[in-house]
Tab-separated table of all heavy atoms in Angstrom:
chain	number	residue	atom	x	y	z
A	584	GLU	N	57.437	-193.852	-71.272
A	584	GLU	CA	58.499	-192.902	-70.926
A	584	GLU	C	58.768	-191.942	-72.082
A	584	GLU	O	59.001	-190.751	-71.866
A	584	GLU	CB	59.778	-193.652	-70.545
A	584	GLU	CG	60.843	-192.777	-69.959
A	584	GLU	CD	60.433	-192.093	-68.656
A	584	GLU	OE1	59.631	-192.657	-67.901
A	584	GLU	OE2	60.919	-190.976	-68.413
A	585	LYS	N	58.701	-192.453	-73.297
A	585	LYS	CA	58.867	-191.599	-74.470
A	585	LYS	C	57.808	-190.499	-74.473
A	585	LYS	O	58.110	-189.333	-74.725
A	585	LYS	CB	58.752	-192.437	-75.755
A	585	LYS	CG	58.792	-191.630	-77.033
A	585	LYS	CD	58.590	-192.534	-78.244
A	585	LYS	CE	58.497	-191.744	-79.523
A	585	LYS	NZ	58.226	-192.615	-80.686
A	586	SER	N	56.581	-190.872	-74.173
A	586	SER	CA	55.494	-189.900	-74.110
A	586	SER	C	55.786	-188.835	-73.058
A	586	SER	O	55.597	-187.643	-73.303
A	586	SER	CB	54.182	-190.615	-73.787
A	586	SER	OG	53.149	-189.683	-73.595
A	587	ASN	N	56.258	-189.263	-71.890
A	587	ASN	CA	56.581	-188.307	-70.818
A	587	ASN	C	57.699	-187.365	-71.234
A	587	ASN	O	57.632	-186.154	-70.993
A	587	ASN	CB	56.977	-189.045	-69.537
A	587	ASN	CG	55.823	-189.804	-68.937
A	587	ASN	OD1	54.666	-189.504	-69.185
A	587	ASN	ND2	56.139	-190.807	-68.147
A	588	ILE	N	58.721	-187.899	-71.866
A	588	ILE	CA	59.848	-187.070	-72.309
A	588	ILE	C	59.390	-186.076	-73.368
A	588	ILE	O	59.733	-184.886	-73.312
A	588	ILE	CB	61.009	-187.952	-72.824
A	588	ILE	CG1	61.641	-188.695	-71.644
A	588	ILE	CG2	62.045	-187.119	-73.569
A	588	ILE	CD1	62.608	-189.798	-72.043
A	589	LEU	N	58.591	-186.536	-74.324
A	589	LEU	CA	58.058	-185.628	-75.342
A	589	LEU	C	57.239	-184.505	-74.712
A	589	LEU	O	57.336	-183.346	-75.112
A	589	LEU	CB	57.197	-186.391	-76.351
A	589	LEU	CG	57.934	-187.308	-77.321
A	589	LEU	CD1	56.939	-188.174	-78.090
A	589	LEU	CD2	58.793	-186.488	-78.274
A	590	TYR	N	56.460	-184.858	-73.717
A	590	TYR	CA	55.643	-183.855	-73.034
A	590	TYR	C	56.525	-182.797	-72.373
A	590	TYR	O	56.302	-181.596	-72.531
A	590	TYR	CB	54.745	-184.528	-71.996
A	590	TYR	CG	53.968	-183.552	-71.153
A	590	TYR	CD1	52.830	-182.925	-71.661
A	590	TYR	CD2	54.368	-183.248	-69.865
A	590	TYR	CE1	52.107	-182.021	-70.902
A	590	TYR	CE2	53.651	-182.335	-69.093
A	590	TYR	CZ	52.526	-181.735	-69.607
A	590	TYR	OH	51.820	-180.832	-68.853
A	591	TYR	N	57.542	-183.234	-71.629
A	591	TYR	CA	58.397	-182.270	-70.929
A	591	TYR	C	59.261	-181.455	-71.895
A	591	TYR	O	59.523	-180.277	-71.645
A	591	TYR	CB	59.244	-182.965	-69.861
A	591	TYR	CG	58.392	-183.389	-68.690
A	591	TYR	CD1	58.183	-184.724	-68.404
A	591	TYR	CD2	57.757	-182.441	-67.897
A	591	TYR	CE1	57.375	-185.105	-67.349
A	591	TYR	CE2	56.945	-182.815	-66.838
A	591	TYR	CZ	56.764	-184.147	-66.565
A	591	TYR	OH	55.966	-184.516	-65.529
A	592	GLN	N	59.670	-182.066	-72.993
A	592	GLN	CA	60.387	-181.296	-74.003
A	592	GLN	C	59.484	-180.208	-74.580
A	592	GLN	O	59.910	-179.069	-74.785
A	592	GLN	CB	60.883	-182.209	-75.128
A	592	GLN	CG	62.066	-183.050	-74.753
A	592	GLN	CD	62.461	-184.003	-75.879
A	592	GLN	OE1	61.656	-184.373	-76.728
A	592	GLN	NE2	63.719	-184.411	-75.865
A	593	MET	N	58.246	-180.558	-74.831
A	593	MET	CA	57.298	-179.592	-75.374
A	593	MET	C	57.035	-178.481	-74.347
A	593	MET	O	56.912	-177.314	-74.713
A	593	MET	CB	55.993	-180.293	-75.741
A	593	MET	CG	55.089	-179.447	-76.601
A	593	MET	SD	53.690	-180.385	-77.215
A	593	MET	CE	54.512	-181.577	-78.247
A	594	MET	N	56.960	-178.844	-73.085
A	594	MET	CA	56.752	-177.845	-72.030
A	594	MET	C	57.912	-176.852	-72.006
A	594	MET	O	57.705	-175.660	-71.827
A	594	MET	CB	56.639	-178.518	-70.663
A	594	MET	CG	55.407	-179.362	-70.495
A	594	MET	SD	53.965	-178.401	-70.127
A	594	MET	CE	54.349	-177.910	-68.462
A	595	GLU	N	59.110	-177.344	-72.194
A	595	GLU	CA	60.282	-176.472	-72.187
A	595	GLU	C	60.295	-175.540	-73.398
A	595	GLU	O	60.649	-174.385	-73.295
A	595	GLU	CB	61.577	-177.295	-72.171
A	595	GLU	CG	61.910	-177.876	-70.823
A	595	GLU	CD	62.148	-176.797	-69.779
A	595	GLU	OE1	62.903	-175.840	-70.051
A	595	GLU	OE2	61.570	-176.909	-68.682
A	596	ARG	N	59.910	-176.074	-74.560
A	596	ARG	CA	59.901	-175.278	-75.781
A	596	ARG	C	58.789	-174.247	-75.786
A	596	ARG	O	58.956	-173.143	-76.281
A	596	ARG	CB	59.734	-176.185	-77.003
A	596	ARG	CG	60.999	-176.807	-77.500
A	596	ARG	CD	60.847	-177.370	-78.912
A	596	ARG	NE	59.561	-177.982	-79.190
A	596	ARG	CZ	59.287	-179.275	-79.072
A	596	ARG	NH1	60.218	-180.105	-78.662
A	596	ARG	NH2	58.090	-179.740	-79.357
A	597	ASP	N	57.655	-174.620	-75.282
A	597	ASP	CA	56.481	-173.773	-75.396
A	597	ASP	C	55.856	-173.591	-74.021
A	597	ASP	O	55.015	-174.367	-73.600
A	597	ASP	CB	55.479	-174.405	-76.368
A	597	ASP	CG	54.290	-173.515	-76.650
A	597	ASP	OD1	54.246	-172.397	-76.116
A	597	ASP	OD2	53.409	-173.949	-77.404
A	598	LYS	N	56.253	-172.569	-73.325
A	598	LYS	CA	55.804	-172.336	-71.945
A	598	LYS	C	54.289	-172.146	-71.851
A	598	LYS	O	53.701	-172.382	-70.811
A	598	LYS	CB	56.506	-171.122	-71.330
A	598	LYS	CG	57.998	-171.253	-71.264
A	598	LYS	CD	58.426	-172.332	-70.310
A	598	LYS	CE	59.943	-172.356	-70.231
A	598	LYS	NZ	60.470	-173.425	-69.477
A	599	THR	N	53.641	-171.726	-72.915
A	599	THR	CA	52.195	-171.502	-72.862
A	599	THR	C	51.431	-172.812	-72.745
A	599	THR	O	50.282	-172.810	-72.320
A	599	THR	CB	51.699	-170.749	-74.113
A	599	THR	OG1	52.006	-171.521	-75.280
A	599	THR	CG2	52.319	-169.374	-74.201
A	600	ILE	N	52.049	-173.911	-73.080
A	600	ILE	CA	51.368	-175.193	-72.976
A	600	ILE	C	51.160	-175.589	-71.513
A	600	ILE	O	50.342	-176.426	-71.200
A	600	ILE	CB	52.144	-176.280	-73.739
A	600	ILE	CG1	51.236	-177.466	-74.079
A	600	ILE	CG2	53.323	-176.775	-72.942
A	600	ILE	CD1	51.867	-178.449	-75.007
A	601	ALA	N	51.903	-174.947	-70.622
A	601	ALA	CA	51.832	-175.290	-69.204
A	601	ALA	C	50.452	-175.072	-68.619
A	601	ALA	O	50.083	-175.700	-67.661
A	601	ALA	CB	52.870	-174.498	-68.417
A	602	LYS	N	49.679	-174.187	-69.205
A	602	LYS	CA	48.331	-173.949	-68.679
A	602	LYS	C	47.437	-175.115	-69.098
A	602	LYS	O	47.608	-176.207	-68.612
A	602	LYS	CB	47.822	-172.611	-69.155
A	602	LYS	CG	48.722	-171.511	-68.627
A	602	LYS	CD	48.134	-170.167	-68.741
A	602	LYS	CE	49.152	-169.250	-68.106
A	602	LYS	NZ	48.857	-167.920	-68.099
A	603	LYS	N	46.528	-174.913	-69.973
A	603	LYS	CA	45.663	-175.988	-70.447
A	603	LYS	C	45.773	-176.051	-71.956
A	603	LYS	O	45.432	-175.104	-72.636
A	603	LYS	CB	44.217	-175.723	-70.020
A	603	LYS	CG	43.265	-176.820	-70.352
A	603	LYS	CD	43.484	-178.029	-69.483
A	603	LYS	CE	42.446	-179.090	-69.799
A	603	LYS	NZ	42.691	-180.315	-69.169
A	604	VAL	N	46.248	-177.142	-72.456
A	604	VAL	CA	46.464	-177.266	-73.883
A	604	VAL	C	45.176	-177.721	-74.546
A	604	VAL	O	44.583	-178.712	-74.167
A	604	VAL	CB	47.584	-178.293	-74.170
A	604	VAL	CG1	47.765	-178.474	-75.657
A	604	VAL	CG2	48.862	-177.848	-73.529
A	605	SER	N	44.759	-176.968	-75.530
A	605	SER	CA	43.579	-177.355	-76.279
A	605	SER	C	43.952	-177.781	-77.694
A	605	SER	O	43.132	-178.308	-78.414
A	605	SER	CB	42.583	-176.198	-76.325
A	605	SER	OG	43.196	-175.080	-76.924
A	606	THR	N	45.177	-177.562	-78.073
A	606	THR	CA	45.618	-177.893	-79.417
A	606	THR	C	46.077	-179.339	-79.456
A	606	THR	O	47.139	-179.678	-78.968
A	606	THR	CB	46.782	-176.975	-79.850
A	606	THR	OG1	46.427	-175.637	-79.561
A	606	THR	CG2	47.094	-177.135	-81.308
A	607	THR	N	45.255	-180.187	-80.052
A	607	THR	CA	45.601	-181.604	-80.103
A	607	THR	C	46.782	-181.862	-81.030
A	607	THR	O	47.481	-182.851	-80.859
A	607	THR	CB	44.394	-182.443	-80.566
A	607	THR	OG1	43.929	-181.922	-81.800
A	607	THR	CG2	43.287	-182.420	-79.540
A	608	GLU	N	47.000	-180.978	-81.995
A	608	GLU	CA	48.134	-181.160	-82.898
A	608	GLU	C	49.452	-181.150	-82.127
A	608	GLU	O	50.350	-181.931	-82.419
A	608	GLU	CB	48.156	-180.051	-83.952
A	608	GLU	CG	47.013	-180.109	-84.925
A	608	GLU	CD	46.961	-178.878	-85.823
A	608	GLU	OE1	47.956	-178.146	-85.907
A	608	GLU	OE2	45.908	-178.671	-86.435
Side-chain angles (χ1 to χ4, degrees):
E584 190 62 31
K585 175 183 175 183
S586 174
N587 293 338
I588 290 169
L589 288 170
Y590 174 78
Y591 288 113
Q592 285 176 335
M593 194 171 295
M594 293 280 289
E595 283 298 312
R596 277 196 323 266
D597 186 1
K598 300 293 183 187
T599 60
I600 201 171
K602 298 195 177 179
K603 185 72 177 172
V604 177
S605 59
T606 312
T607 54
E608 292 172 16

